[in-house]
Amino acid sequence: MSSQDSASFKKSRLIGSLISLHLSSERTVESNFTFVLDSIITHGLFNEKEEPNEELSLAYKKWVQRLNLLLQSKNPTVRYCVISLIKTTCKQSHTLLLANAKQWSAQLLGFLAKKDLPLIYQESIDTLSFIFSYTVNKPELQREITSPNLPRFNQLLIQLSQDAELLYPAITALTLNMKNFPTTSKHVVSDCKKLCLSYMNGKKILDDQTQKAINQCYISLNYTSGKSTMAIDWKNNLMQLISTVNKDLDTLFNTVDEENQNTQLPAPLEMEVVSSDYVQAYPHLLRRIQLIQQCISDYLTTPTSLVVDVPVSYLIDLVCRIYNVYDGSLMRDYKDKNEFMTMMMCLPKLHLSTSKLLSSLFYCSGQQLVGFVKLFSQIFLRLLNEYKTRRGLKIAVYGLISLCLEKCGYVFAEIIYRPLISSVIEDLRIIEHKSAGIIITSGQSNKSHKKRKTEVTNSDALTTKLVSASPTDVQISALQTLQSLYDVFGFAMDISQRSSIDSCIISRLIQMNPPSDLNSEELSMVKAELYHCLISSITHPIETQASVLPHAMRLFGAGLNEPSHQLQMICRKGLSICDLIAHPRLPPVQRAIPKMSSTVIFAQESMDIDSTHETVLDNGINSTQSNVTDTRLSQEKETHSIVESGDKVVRVEDKTQTIIESTIHTVQVEDITQGGVGKIAEDRIQDSVNETAEDKTQTDVDKSAEVETMDQSAEVESVNHTADKTQPTMTTSTEAPILKETLRKEPTVEKIDLEKMHVNDIITAYAGADVPIPVTLLSNEYVKSPPTSFSVANNTDKVDKTMITSDIETVTIETEIHHHSVTDMDASSNSQSMDLSSLEKMKDTVDKVRENIVDKEQTSDHDDLNMDDLIDMAGPDSDDEEL
């Protein structure tokens, strides 16, 4: 048996057990209802992931039959239990809902139509609302279930809403029907509007949950207008509410000398006329204004499906009109003073409800109110001064200031931060109270006619206790507002103001004796906000003031020992922030690190050759320029380059140790030795490798030369080239000066003893005498054809060949040719520095050789090339390019 079959078998057994044991009779239903409901929810007996098999379908059928049978019971308790089980079954099983929704809807509507218990009404309304909501976006189900039954359901809800116990479920169901089925619910819009206005009139006092449901129902009437007029109707209904409040304020502020109101408003809503006696009328008007203001707040904070136009200016005029009436307002002439005082007693509650309305406007409009920040700052500062001792209003004002700081930002904070900091410091102040002395007066008997006055002191009279200047919730609101001020304007505060508020927070946190009027829970709440303010302070420092970071680290470290888990977590977070500020892990922005190594640029052009041959590369270093600085002595460079030769890609990796000469600013080495110079090139390469190996052991070199190799696109890798130990080290003979003098006297020397002189000596002598090297001398047996490829191993192989480049091509390599003969030019000294004059003379010599080169066809077999062929491959001169 598969796992699915076993799960279905288990469900069918459990359902059968519930039917036979716990729903067998009405008596067992009453006693076992909670157990049955918990079993269905816990085990998910009707949850369907796939189609039920035959056995489970049979169990479902028995379950439905049993519920339908019990639904006809005369016992209202049994009917209530069965309706609850039907609702749970519909929520879990799609199959059972589709199969029985029509039948169950008709039966539940019958229960609503006849007199029954309120519990049955409530459960039936909830079940029907779920069934109808399930058919949203399902046209077939709507035609079969919703369309025939929803109109009757709405009518029954209007009737049942007259009962105070059923008002909340009925209004909630009506709101849901208006949103989900606006077209089908149009016929009850007028009745629903009258119902909502009757409860917004102010005569009936409702709980907050029910009143909010009524406001939501009134707002949902806009859905029935259609998409074309919904936005217009939304604004018109809101304007009617604003007009209604202004009309009631005309009656309430009848005794106040107000400014003329020239605002043009639409007709107000039809409300019940209040009594002419102000003693009865003012409380009624106050409740009505509060309810309508709450409805306006819900209007502004309820999401809409379309973009709507908010009448911000009318709302601000309404708010300013209410706030402009305060204790210092003047009374009109010839008015009853008692009526004026009665109106003044209504102001605190009226200002409190207006603060809620203004908060909703901030949430709705946000930054669109930046143009009114100066007006708001004047109102809030005046309210802070007026309601210093009124806890509820002061908390509301602090909340408004915090919200305005978050929405309007820097502009509002710059205006209000100074008086706000003073108010916060005043509310956080700790007052020290001293106990009064205990005085007891006693006298002797009347006979003695002597009276003695004795002052008895108690030890309590010598003690003092600390109390808070403001209640706990006021302190919490003040600290939350201060936290918003830190976040918005902390970096731009005045130094004295910032110092004073930081000192106040730190002094409260390090205070050893807590205020006696705060219990442990209240003390933890205040401390939590103090820690939050300290975190905001260290994260928004001032550039011109020392940070409180050291104090914060100590306070957060000590706070880890707080008994409250909440305070421990806040202090752990604060320590993490302090640690990140003091020891940042990573820079805030990842930037690419500039490469200090020089670069080598590779370029290649193909030459015109016969169709049967491939392109070849000429050997030589075209133009390598080394820029030398005066301050750096030595630098080890690792270079890596990729050379493309025809269709082959040769990877050359080397590690070169080049030495910088501090007195030379620019050295340009040019070598255009064509083809490859056989043994001459091999000897020079070996000598350069040997001398480079010796250079690596030197740690302090006074003067050196550097030839930069630039390749910014390649990685830097090292290859250690091993020199052939069997070859002797290149030394300078004494024949070079003699040959140099001979060449100066007689430029054409027919025979040179190559066995006694090294190749470098010959080149140095010809360069010193300013005489071109004869072609016959270059065609000596030492000259061999270069190999056609490089052989590079992993860090130990030796480069076999110098690179071949033509004048048309610009190819710069970074191999162990070691900028050949740079270290050999000065043969008289074993130093690593180069003789700049020798290099220039050598360049002139090479130029003269190149002038004697003639064009010749190029052959592809490099192993068989003689010197004449290599000369023919050189091509015409081209201008050298500096890289």
Side-chain angles (χ1 to χ4, degrees):
M1 181 182 295
S2 63
S3 59
Q4 180 182 355
D5 294 338
S6 61
S8 300
F9 177 74
K10 180 181 178 181
K11 285 184 179 181
S12 61
R13 293 289 300 272
L14 289 175
I15 293 172
S17 176
L18 291 177
I19 293 172
S20 60
L21 298 179
H22 303 285
L23 299 178
S24 58
S25 63
E26 294 182 359
R27 182 174 57 82
T28 57
V29 170
E30 293 182 21
S31 59
N32 299 322
F33 166 68
T34 55
F35 174 77
V36 173
L37 190 61
D38 291 341
S39 299
I40 294 173
I41 296 173
T42 304
H43 295 280
L45 296 181
F46 300 102
N47 286 334
E48 299 173 350
K49 296 182 180 179
E50 295 183 1
E51 290 292 330
N53 55 15
E54 185 177 353
E55 186 176 3
L56 188 59
S57 299
L58 182 60
Y60 284 174
K61 184 177 181 181
K62 292 181 180 180
W63 174 262
V64 173
Q65 290 176 355
R66 189 59 185 167
L67 291 182
N68 290 334
L69 181 61
L70 292 173
L71 198 60
Q72 307 301 326
S73 176
K74 295 183 178 180
N75 189 350
T77 306
V78 174
R79 293 200 300 273
Y80 170 78
C81 296
V82 174
I83 294 172
S84 298
L85 292 175
I86 288 174
K87 181 175 68 174
T88 305
T89 303
C90 291
K91 288 182 177 180
Q92 289 193 0
S93 176
H94 171 74
T95 304
L96 294 179
L97 175 60
L98 294 180
N100 302 279
K102 195 171 184 179
Q103 178 184 359
W104 285 340
S105 299
Q107 290 178 330
L108 294 177
L109 286 173
F111 291 153
L112 294 177
K114 62 183 181 181
K115 190 175 181 179
D116 213 326
L117 295 179
L119 286 176
I120 295 178
Y121 287 146
Q122 292 180 9
E123 201 67 23
S124 299
I125 291 171
D126 292 343
T127 306
L128 286 170
S129 295
F130 175 78
I131 293 174
F132 294 144
S133 300
Y134 186 81
T135 64
V136 176
N137 299 326
K138 299 179 178 64
E140 294 184 3
L141 292 179
Q142 288 185 20
R143 286 194 300 268
E144 294 179 4
I145 300 172
T146 306
S147 298
N149 299 318
L150 187 62
R152 185 187 177 195
F153 181 50
N154 288 331
Q155 291 290 347
L156 292 173
L157 290 176
I158 295 293
Q159 296 176 8
L160 293 173
S161 61
Q162 304 300 326
D163 189 355
E165 294 183 15
L166 300 175
L167 178 61
Y168 179 73
I171 288 292
T172 304
L174 282 171
T175 304
L176 197 60
N177 293 340
M178 294 288 178
K179 292 180 180 180
N180 293 334
F181 311 102
T183 305
T184 313
S185 304
K186 269 188 176 181
H187 66 285
V188 293
V189 169
S190 59
D191 295 336
C192 191
K193 186 175 183 179
K194 290 179 181 179
L195 175 66
C196 295
L197 293 178
S198 65
Y199 286 100
M200 292 168 60
N201 186 40
K203 278 194 172 183
K204 300 176 182 178
I205 300 176
L206 302 174
D207 59 284
D208 294 339
Q209 184 184 18
T210 305
Q211 189 63 49
K212 188 173 183 63
I214 291 173
N215 295 339
Q216 292 296 328
C217 183
Y218 185 79
I219 296 170
S220 66
L221 298 178
N222 298 312
Y223 288 93
T224 61
S225 302
K227 292 185 178 180
S228 59
T229 59
M230 184 185 299
I232 299 175
D233 291 343
W234 187 92
K235 182 180 179 181
N236 292 337
N237 291 336
L238 183 58
M239 289 296 295
Q240 280 188 325
L241 292 174
I242 296 173
S243 179
T244 305
V245 174
N246 278 286
K247 180 183 176 182
D248 292 339
L249 288 176
D250 292 340
T251 306
L252 186 63
F253 293 160
N254 185 34
T255 58
V256 180
D257 189 8
E258 286 187 286
E259 297 179 357
N260 295 328
Q261 302 293 328
N262 298 324
T263 306
Q264 299 294 330
L265 294 171
L269 296 171
E270 296 181 0
M271 292 287 187
E272 183 179 349
V273 180
V274 297
S275 174
S276 58
D277 185 6
Y278 68 88
V279 177
Q280 297 179 0
Y282 282 4
H284 182 195
L285 287 173
L286 179 61
R287 285 195 302 270
R288 181 190 293 178
I289 292 172
Q290 287 177 326
L291 292 175
I292 298 177
Q293 283 181 335
Q294 185 178 350
C295 185
I296 295 174
S297 299
D298 292 338
Y299 245 99
L300 296 175
T301 54
T302 301
T304 58
S305 57
L306 298 175
V307 178
V308 295
D309 185 13
V310 180
V312 176
S313 59
Y314 292 96
L315 290 169
I316 292 179
D317 289 341
L318 175 61
V319 169
C320 292
R321 181 183 182 185
I322 296 174
Y323 280 140
N324 285 336
V325 179
Y326 56 100
D327 292 340
S329 298
L330 299 177
M331 185 180 69
R332 285 184 179 179
D333 297 336
Y334 311 110
K335 293 291 181 181
D336 189 359
K337 188 175 181 180
N338 293 329
E339 183 179 356
F340 178 78
M341 295 306 298
T342 304
M343 185 275 303
M344 286 295 176
M345 287 188 289
C346 299
L347 284 181
K349 288 187 176 181
L350 187 60
H351 286 175
L352 186 60
S353 61
T354 307
S355 300
K356 295 178 181 178
L357 172 61
L358 186 56
S359 299
S360 302
L361 183 60
F362 276 121
Y363 282 117
C364 177
S365 300
Q367 296 181 352
Q368 305 298 326
L369 301 177
V370 174
F372 302 96
V373 291
K374 189 172 183 180
L375 174 65
F376 292 149
S377 63
Q378 294 174 355
I379 293 174
F380 297 155
L381 292 178
R382 195 197 71 198
L383 292 176
L384 279 178
N385 293 327
E386 288 181 3
Y387 299 125
K388 285 184 178 180
T389 58
R390 297 187 179 181
R391 183 176 59 88
L393 284 167
K394 197 166 189 180
I395 293 173
V397 174
Y398 272 134
L400 284 173
I401 294 174
S402 178
L403 188 58
C404 193
L405 284 170
E406 295 172 1
K407 295 295 183 180
C408 300
Y410 184 92
V411 179
F412 177 74
E414 188 179 13
I415 300 174
I416 204 173
Y417 84 97
R418 292 177 184 273
L420 177 61
I421 288 177
S422 302
S423 178
V424 171
I425 292 175
E426 180 66 24
D427 288 331
L428 296 179
R429 189 166 53 90
I430 300 298
I431 303 174
E432 182 178 349
H433 280 286
K434 292 185 178 180
S435 301
I438 301 176
I439 301 176
I440 300 177
T441 303
S442 61
Q444 293 182 354
S445 60
N446 293 332
K447 294 182 181 179
S448 62
H449 301 286
K450 294 181 181 179
K451 295 182 179 180
R452 300 181 61 184
K453 185 176 181 181
T454 306
E455 181 176 339
V456 180
T457 60
N458 196 320
S459 60
D460 292 337
L462 304 177
T463 61
T464 59
K465 61 179 181 179
L466 302 176
V467 296
S468 301
S470 300
T472 304
D473 46 4
V474 174
Q475 296 183 51
I476 292 174
S477 298
L479 290 171
Q480 290 174 349
T481 307
L482 178 62
Q483 184 179 351
S484 300
L485 182 62
Y486 271 130
D487 296 339
V488 174
F489 199 71
F491 66 94
M493 287 185 187
D494 183 70
I495 296 178
S496 59
Q497 297 288 332
R498 180 64 182 266
S499 300
S500 61
I501 193 61
D502 286 345
S503 301
C504 180
I505 293 173
I506 294 174
S507 62
R508 282 295 303 267
L509 285 172
I510 65 176
Q511 191 173 16
M512 299 298 296
N513 298 324
S516 58
D517 59 334
L518 300 181
N519 55 33
S520 58
E521 183 178 357
E522 293 175 341
L523 187 63
S524 297
M525 293 169 63
V526 174
K527 270 193 171 182
E529 298 301 330
L530 287 169
Y531 281 129
H532 282 307
C533 287
L534 187 58
I535 291 175
S536 297
S537 178
I538 62 176
T539 52
H540 300 84
I542 299 181
E543 295 180 357
T544 58
Q545 183 184 13
S547 175
V548 296
L549 184 62
H551 305 289
M553 295 181 71
R554 296 187 185 94
L555 288 171
F556 288 134
L560 295 177
N561 299 322
E562 291 282 354
S564 172
H565 175 70
Q566 179 189 8
L567 295 180
Q568 292 177 10
M569 297 305 296
I570 296 173
C571 292
R572 189 172 289 111
K573 176 183 176 182
L575 274 178
S576 300
I577 295 174
C578 292
D579 188 38
L580 289 173
I581 294 174
H583 309 287
R585 304 297 189 266
L586 289 173
V589 178
Q590 295 293 334
R591 294 181 175 87
I593 300 175
K595 294 184 178 180
M596 301 302 297
S597 61
S598 54
T599 58
V600 178
I601 301 176
F602 285 84
Q604 179 175 336
E605 293 183 10
S606 60
M607 299 176 59
D608 294 334
I609 61 174
D610 293 338
S611 59
T612 58
H613 300 293
E614 301 290 337
T615 52
V616 290
L617 297 175
D618 288 347
N619 178 31
I621 301 175
N622 188 17
S623 177
T624 304
Q625 180 176 347
S626 173
N627 294 326
V628 183
T629 59
D630 297 337
T631 57
R632 298 185 180 273
L633 293 177
S634 62
Q635 180 179 12
E636 181 178 349
K637 300 202 177 267
E638 298 178 0
T639 59
H640 163 267
S641 61
I642 298 176
V643 182
E644 295 184 5
S645 176
D647 56 4
K648 295 182 180 180
V649 178
V650 181
R651 185 178 183 88
V652 180
E653 300 175 346
D654 67 299
K655 178 178 182 180
T656 62
Q657 174 73 26
T658 57
I659 310 302
I660 306 173
E661 181 173 348
S662 59
T663 58
I664 303 176
H665 293 285
T666 305
V667 178
Q668 183 171 352
V669 180
E670 179 177 351
D671 189 354
I672 56 166
T673 305
Q674 303 299 324
V677 277
K679 192 168 183 178
I680 297 176
E682 292 179 2
D683 293 342
R684 294 171 63 185
I685 292 172
Q686 296 300 329
D687 294 342
S688 298
V689 171
N690 293 336
E691 289 186 4
T692 304
E694 293 174 2
D695 293 343
K696 292 179 181 178
T697 61
Q698 297 181 4
T699 58
D700 191 12
V701 180
D702 297 331
K703 294 182 180 182
S704 58
E706 175 191 9
V707 179
E708 287 191 347
T709 57
M710 293 181 284
D711 187 5
Q712 295 189 359
S713 63
E715 298 177 348
V716 180
E717 299 181 3
S718 66
V719 176
N720 298 325
H721 300 274
T722 60
D724 189 3
K725 297 181 180 179
T726 61
Q727 273 195 321
T729 306
M730 183 170 56
T731 58
T732 305
S733 67
T734 59
E735 299 294 330
I738 299 174
L739 179 60
K740 179 179 177 181
E741 296 297 330
T742 304
L743 290 173
R744 286 181 178 177
K745 297 177 181 179
E746 186 177 358
T748 58
V749 178
E750 298 180 355
K751 185 176 180 181
I752 298 175
D753 191 359
L754 296 176
E755 294 180 357
K756 295 182 180 181
M757 295 187 64
H758 198 274
V759 176
N760 282 350
D761 299 335
I762 299 173
I763 297 174
T764 304
Y766 271 86
D770 197 12
V771 176
I773 301 175
V775 177
T776 57
L777 183 60
L778 294 177
S779 303
N780 199 279
E781 60 181 357
Y782 285 97
V783 180
K784 299 179 182 178
S785 297
T788 57
S789 62
F790 287 102
S791 175
V792 180
N794 203 4
N795 291 334
T796 58
D797 293 343
K798 181 170 67 175
V799 178
D800 300 307
K801 137 180 210 285
T802 57
M803 210 170 168
I804 307 171
T805 190
S806 68
D807 290 30
I808 301 176
E809 301 162 32
T810 305
V811 180
T812 310
I813 61 173
E814 42 192 351
T815 64
E816 286 294 358
I817 295 174
H818 295 302
H819 323 287
H820 47 272
S821 76
V822 173
T823 59
D824 300 336
M825 281 303 179
D826 194 354
S828 61
S829 64
N830 294 324
S831 173
Q832 313 303 328
S833 61
M834 293 173 50
D835 188 357
L836 181 59
S837 61
S838 298
L839 291 174
E840 293 175 350
K841 292 178 180 180
M842 182 179 177
K843 178 179 181 299
D844 297 335
T845 304
V846 173
D847 289 336
K848 293 179 180 180
V849 172
R850 294 173 67 179
E851 291 175 358
N852 299 325
I853 296 175
V854 294
D855 294 337
K856 188 177 181 180
E857 283 191 348
Q858 185 177 4
T859 59
S860 60
D861 190 4
H862 291 274
D863 293 333
D864 298 332
L865 287 177
N866 54 25
M867 193 60 199
D868 295 334
D869 297 330
L870 294 175
I871 293 174
D872 292 336
M873 291 168 56
D877 279 344
S878 60
D879 295 335
D880 298 328
E881 296 179 2
E882 291 186 2
L883 302 182

